[in-house]
Amino acid sequence: MSGMQSTPRSVMAADCNGQQFQEAWPSWCNQMMHLLSKDRPHADKREGWAGQSHVFCRLASMADEPGVRRDAAGIATQLAPMLLQTLLKSDSGGVCEAALRALAGVLTVTPAALRNHEPALTAAVAQLLLSPAAPAVRRQAALCFALLPHVRGTVGT
């Protein structure tokens, strides 16, 4: 986590004002992606996904600001393969739960950015939902499974 000391999750989540956050979040997301590489320890990966989740949760309230959805979509398309890898291959419940929280954030802010990965994401989330994973992982999987129809724009009103 040494590379992330300048951008702690508390700052990303709440401690900076909207303008500071809006200017810095794309850089933070890119920095956190380094924590998600497959050779990193579970603690780094969990922290990286938790950070992505916090950023996307905060972006949900700013999604209608000019450029936010576009920039979030760019980050989301980079995260999609990492999300799939984590959901399919993680042997850590904490990492998987954090990745699912990040996926829920992405699905809330910019679901269409995951359109190309929707079938694989649906299969991975369904597999977790039906697995003997920890209850917290299954709860997050259920939330993501409910949000996945937004990717195709097939959610009824």
Side-chain angles (χ1 to χ4, degrees):
M1 262 272 311
S2 60
M4 291 304 299
Q5 290 175 348
S6 64
T7 58
R9 284 192 299 151
S10 62
V11 172
M12 290 184 286
D15 292 347
C16 68
N17 69 36
Q19 183 62 35
Q20 290 171 316
F21 179 83
Q22 201 164 2
E23 291 170 2
W25 74 265
S27 171
W28 291 341
C29 284
N30 285 321
Q31 288 176 18
M32 286 183 286
M33 280 189 215
H34 296 291
L35 296 175
L36 303 175
S37 65
K38 59 184 165 188
D39 60 335
R40 299 298 294 245
H42 288 309
D44 284 0
K45 291 178 186 179
R46 187 176 56 247
E47 194 66 20
W49 285 122
Q52 297 286 357
S53 173
H54 284 294
V55 169
F56 275 90
C57 286
R58 186 147 179 207
L59 286 176
S61 67
M62 308 167 91
D64 292 330
E65 297 287 325
V68 169
R69 280 192 205 275
R70 180 196 65 233
D71 293 345
I75 298 291
T77 57
Q78 293 175 38
L79 288 176
M82 293 181 231
L83 278 163
L84 277 169
Q85 179 181 7
T86 300
L87 297 179
L88 293 171
K89 298 181 180 179
S90 179
D91 57 356
S92 167
V95 173
C96 195
E97 182 184 357
L100 285 165
R101 288 182 188 277
L103 175 58
V106 170
L107 289 169
T108 301
V109 175
T110 181
L114 301 177
R115 188 171 288 131
N116 292 339
H117 300 280
E118 187 263 337
L121 284 169
T122 298
V125 171
Q127 181 180 341
L128 286 170
L129 189 56
L130 300 173
S131 76
V137 171
R138 289 196 320 266
R139 273 192 300 277
Q140 280 304 125
L143 172 63
C144 290
F145 199 75
L147 292 170
L148 278 164
H150 291 276
V151 172
R152 287 178 275 132
T154 58
V155 177
T157 54

